[in-house]
Amino acid sequence: MATVELKDVRKVYGGKVEAVKGVSIDIPDGQMCVLVGPSGCGKSTLLRMIAGLEEITDGTVSIGGQVVNTFGPAERDIAMVFQNYALYPHMKVYDNMAYGLRNRGTPKDEIDRRVREAAGILGLEDFLERKPRELSGGQRQRVAMGRAIVRKPKAFLFDEPLSNLDAKLRGQMRIEIKSLQRSLGVTSVYVTHDQVEAMTLADTLVVMNSGVAEQIDTPLAIYEKPASVFVAGFIGSPAMNLLAGEIAENGRGVKLVGGAYLKPRDTVLPEVGRSVLLGVRPEHLTLVSDANNADFQLKVTTVETLGADTLAHGHPVDGDPKSSELIVRLSGDVQVRHGDVLPLAIDAGKAHMFDAGTGKRI
Amino acid sequence: MADAASTKTRAEVFGRREQGGMLGISKSSRYVAHAILILGVLIVAFPIYYTFTASTHSLQTILRPPLPLTPGDHFFKNYYDAIFGGVGRIGGVSVDLLLFNTTVMALGIAVGKILISILSAFAIVFFRFPGRMLFFWLIFITLMLPVEVRILPTYKVMVDLNLIDTYAGLVLPLIASATATLLFRQFFMTIPGELLEAARVDGAGPWRFFKDILMPLSKTNIAALFVIMFIYGWTQYLWPLLVTNRNDMNTIVIALRKMISFADADTQWHLVMVTSILAILPPVLVVVFMQRWFVKGLVETEK
């Protein structure tokens, strides 16, 4: 158990391609930090640098207060869970878990005790004599976790460990990983491209985009106050509606590209004439009965019925269908049809303003 | 047919064809296929059988045609003479020594080739060192230089190193193998990088990784190569002919040739036949024994 600290960590490939552009993260002892972002954003590279599988071009990685830049993966005392499990195919489950301990010269009875303990935690007692190929995907994932647990490392590193499982199993394993990490209290770094995984697992969430940590905060803070357009669009499903426009005169709110006006309540507007992106999450648009209380009228073009929710796609009646397209999340019992016009209000204080040029939050 | 019922069910399931199963091979064409196969077996097996028959007759019987088609009564005498008595035309060297020489050579070549090629493939695939690709291509182009092409310089080197008439001289020049190196290289490249990384995180250095993970995963490849290389070594002719002068260093294939004189009467044909049978026995045993291993390796896919 230890803290993990990254300080201005950079990775440059072949002197040209900058995969990670100076990331600093402090992970307190026993916490779970999730790195999330689209493919190629540098999250895996960052994790591999923490693991020691990738050289650090610049900056420092410390584990437990000690700079480990020059240490090999084994000396860093970390354990890693890989995307494709990376189990040794010719070894039994028992040997897979024991291998790392054997290489460290742990006494035989200690190895046996730890492997059986980990197998107990993960419900693998009956599979210890089997080979990985005789196991299902979920069981293999457990073995990979077991291999990490037996080592009692300073930190766990997870590299998209659930992406090869089917949706149902993924949800189940997600909860297992969370409770396991809690009960073991081991500092963890978890890489994923799945924002649901990211939101549910993280104590600290790091949203990465093209080598930069766009925002580092608790999952809820990131959901409520995304620091940039990228974070706003990445976290949340369906994605936040982002409408381009500029601040209109006479306090009329935001003049959208298509011509419609939108005036969010309880939101401080920047100076008149500034080009902005107005962001509203689909769940923060409410259907109002009285058209006079509505902020705008939505002309519905497509309806997705999900059961619990209904997603209505459309655009403001007086707006351009293309540039001001948005999605509304309605309760499942609302009957909506293609072509309907819905009076909608933006929930007070739930609108986000981003600078159109920099994409940063205003 | 014992399972006529099941055949019928199958025919019903597929809604056509009365017999012949899923591939739709009719009974008559199956007979033809078997007839061709049996004919092939006869053509291949008959000379071997005839050699065996000849090895159980006395020299007199062999020299007085026609040679009987059934085995004679000299089996034990002939085999005892050959294995323990020695054959006159090759300086009284007995066949057991020849078998020993050939086994040393074939095993040396097979094991040496596998060791060298698996190690060089390991170096080429898993290490980044200057000139890595240069070495790879150097190994690769030796494919174009078989023993026959480089035989004179190789012979000179062996003479200079005083390796004529030694086991080392028989084995060493033949153990470098570009083919086996390439085979292992291709196999190693299919091993997922994650496996290597997992081993590194587990504290396995290169040697441990090689010993604990690569070697066990290469079992099937090693078995296959062993069979091929053992037979390759066993049947070597040109190189042992050059590098051995003494009769007691001959391999069985060379000795066999030396046993046969141009004058028929000089040749102890019954011993030649015994030697021939003994010469083909070890490779056959290797194939038969390793084949089971081979199939086991193929069925239990490890990856």
Side-chain angles (χ1 to χ4, degrees), chain A residues 120-264:
Chain A
I121 295 172
L122 295 162
L124 287 169
E125 295 105 325
D126 297 340
F127 305 107
L128 286 176
E129 295 304 307
R130 297 220 195 149
K131 297 255 179 98
R133 77 184 119 83
E134 297 165 67
L135 302 179
S136 69
Q139 288 164 342
R140 286 181 206 187
Q141 189 57 65
R142 281 208 183 86
V143 178
M145 303 265 301
R147 194 163 62 178
I149 293 174
V150 292
R151 292 255 316 279
K152 299 192 191 295
K154 285 185 185 149
F156 285 151
L157 307 177
F158 297 89
D159 189 4
E160 310 205 13
L162 304 182
S163 53
N164 279 352
L165 303 177
D166 60 62
K168 193 178 160 210
L169 202 52
R170 201 181 304 160
Q172 202 179 316
M173 289 299 292
R174 197 168 68 210
I175 295 162
E176 261 179 55
I177 289 181
K178 174 114 178 162
S179 64
L180 198 63
Q181 193 267 336
R182 276 281 145 75
S183 62
L184 296 172
V186 178
T187 317
S188 304
V189 185
Y190 189 110
V191 162
T192 181
H193 60 260
D194 182 315
Q195 47 133 334
V196 180
E197 247 169 62
M199 292 291 285
T200 51
L201 286 172
D203 293 312
T204 309
L205 184 56
V206 179
V207 184
M208 292 196 59
N209 182 28
S210 48
V212 177
E214 292 253 345
Q215 193 171 4
I216 304 175
D217 214 328
T218 63
L220 216 56
I222 287 180
Y223 175 81
E224 280 167 357
K225 275 192 173 358
S228 65
V229 172
F230 175 81
V231 178
F234 194 80
I235 298 292
S237 173
M240 184 187 281
N241 297 304
L242 290 163
L243 303 166
E246 61 180 46
I247 305 298
E249 287 168 46
N250 312 327
R252 294 184 67 192
V254 183
K255 182 175 186 281
L256 301 185
V257 169
Y261 286 89
L262 260 184
K263 186 170 188 306

Side-chain angles (χ1 to χ4, degrees), chain B residues 134-194:
Chain B
L134 176 76
F135 284 109
F136 171 68
W137 284 109
L138 279 178
I139 293 170
F140 192 80
I141 57 169
T142 60
L143 272 180
M144 295 163 214
L145 297 173
V147 179
E148 290 74 11
V149 176
R150 54 188 163 90
I151 203 145
L152 276 176
T154 312
Y155 184 74
K156 173 81 168 80
V157 171
M158 289 298 120
V159 171
D160 292 347
L161 291 175
N162 271 325
L163 289 178
I164 303 297
D165 279 331
T166 62
Y167 290 128
L170 276 170
V171 171
L172 280 181
L174 299 177
I175 63 171
S177 171
T179 328
T181 308
L182 285 175
L183 205 102
F184 280 121
R185 174 182 178 265
Q186 292 313 111
F187 172 66
F188 287 170
M189 296 212 317
T190 66
I191 286 180
E194 275 192 356

Side-chain angles (χ1 to χ4, degrees), chain B:
Chain B
M1 258 192 186
D3 58 347
S6 73
T7 312
K8 199 176 173 194
T9 329
R10 205 192 277 146
E12 277 163 12
V13 168
F14 288 95
R16 61 201 144 107
R17 281 185 212 119
E18 291 306 312
Q19 68 230 106
M22 286 170 64
L23 291 175
I25 300 160
S26 73
K27 214 172 202 171
S28 60
S29 67
R30 221 188 298 172
Y31 279 127
V32 172
H34 275 84
I36 292 171
L37 286 175
I38 290 166
L39 188 70
V41 170
L42 285 179
I43 290 172
V44 173
F46 183 73
I48 297 170
Y49 170 76
Y50 213 40
T51 309
F52 174 74
T53 309
S55 76
T56 60
H57 286 282
S58 67
L59 181 59
Q60 286 70 31
T61 321
I62 297 171
L63 290 178
R64 196 174 52 237
L67 183 67
L69 275 170
T70 49
D73 53 2
H74 276 62
F75 176 81
F76 291 106
K77 186 187 180 305
N78 285 355
Y79 279 78
Y80 183 88
D81 282 354
I83 295 174
F84 302 108
V87 183
R89 277 199 55 88
I90 53 169
V93 172
S94 57
V95 179
D96 65 334
L97 183 62
L98 298 176
L99 278 174
F100 177 76
N101 290 346
T102 322
T103 308
V104 169
M105 180 184 178
L107 276 181
I109 289 175
V111 173
K113 266 187 195 266
I114 288 169
L115 266 181
I116 286 198
S117 54
I118 201 169
L119 282 172
S120 35
F122 179 52
I124 282 173
V125 175
F126 292 102
F127 291 86
R128 300 280 166 273
F129 54 91
R132 193 172 67 96
M133 283 321 276
L134 176 76
F135 284 109
F136 171 68
W137 284 109
L138 279 178
I139 293 170
F140 192 80
I141 57 169
T142 60
L143 272 180
M144 295 163 214
L145 297 173
V147 179
E148 290 74 11
V149 176
R150 54 188 163 90
I151 203 145
L152 276 176
T154 312
Y155 184 74
K156 173 81 168 80
V157 171
M158 289 298 120
V159 171
D160 292 347
L161 291 175
N162 271 325
L163 289 178
I164 303 297
D165 279 331
T166 62
Y167 290 128
L170 276 170
V171 171
L172 280 181
L174 299 177
I175 63 171
S177 171
T179 328
T181 308
L182 285 175
L183 205 102
F184 280 121
R185 174 182 178 265
Q186 292 313 111
F187 172 66
F188 287 170
M189 296 212 317
T190 66
I191 286 180
E194 275 192 356
L195 214 56
L196 172 67
E197 289 171 355
R200 284 180 66 194
V201 172
D202 266 344
W207 184 240
R208 277 238 174 92
F209 175 69
F210 180 73
K211 177 170 71 75
D212 292 344
I213 291 156
L214 272 190
M215 288 288 275
L217 288 178
S218 312
K219 271 191 303 196
T220 327
N221 284 28
I222 292 175
L225 267 176
F226 182 82
V227 173
I228 295 165
M229 292 310 173
F230 184 86
I231 291 166
Y232 166 85
W234 190 270
T235 54
Q236 278 302 308
Y237 184 78
L238 185 59
W239 182 248
L241 186 66
L242 276 178
V243 86
T244 61
N245 299 324
R246 295 204 329 256
N247 282 324
D248 60 352
M249 281 305 294
N250 277 338
T251 63
I252 200 161
V253 187
I254 303 298
L256 200 55
R257 171 67 193 84
K258 283 191 184 171
M259 282 180 200
I260 301 165
S261 151
F262 287 110
D264 242 0
D266 259 2
T267 309
Q268 291 173 292
W269 282 111
H270 57 304
L271 297 185
V272 170
M273 292 304 158
V274 170
T275 313
S276 302
I277 289 294
L278 290 176
I280 55 175
L281 215 52
V284 168
L285 286 179
V286 164
V287 169
V288 168
F289 172 71
M290 295 295 281
Q291 203 176 30
R292 309 180 70 182
W293 223 83
F294 214 68
V295 172
K296 196 175 157 228
L298 289 179
V299 173
E300 284 179 18
T301 38
E302 293 273 35
K303 264 191 326 116

Side-chain angles (χ1 to χ4, degrees), chain A residues 226-296:
Chain A
S228 65
V229 172
F230 175 81
V231 178
F234 194 80
I235 298 292
S237 173
M240 184 187 281
N241 297 304
L242 290 163
L243 303 166
E246 61 180 46
I247 305 298
E249 287 168 46
N250 312 327
R252 294 184 67 192
V254 183
K255 182 175 186 281
L256 301 185
V257 169
Y261 286 89
L262 260 184
K263 186 170 188 306
R265 276 164 282 186
D266 289 351
T267 304
V268 184
L269 295 180
E271 70 274 16
V272 168
R274 182 157 175 189
S275 292
V276 295
L277 282 169
L278 174 65
V280 186
R281 294 198 182 276
E283 52 270 38
H284 293 149
L285 288 166
T286 315
L287 192 60
V288 290
S289 46
D290 184 358
N292 291 329
N293 292 335
D295 289 326
F296 69 101

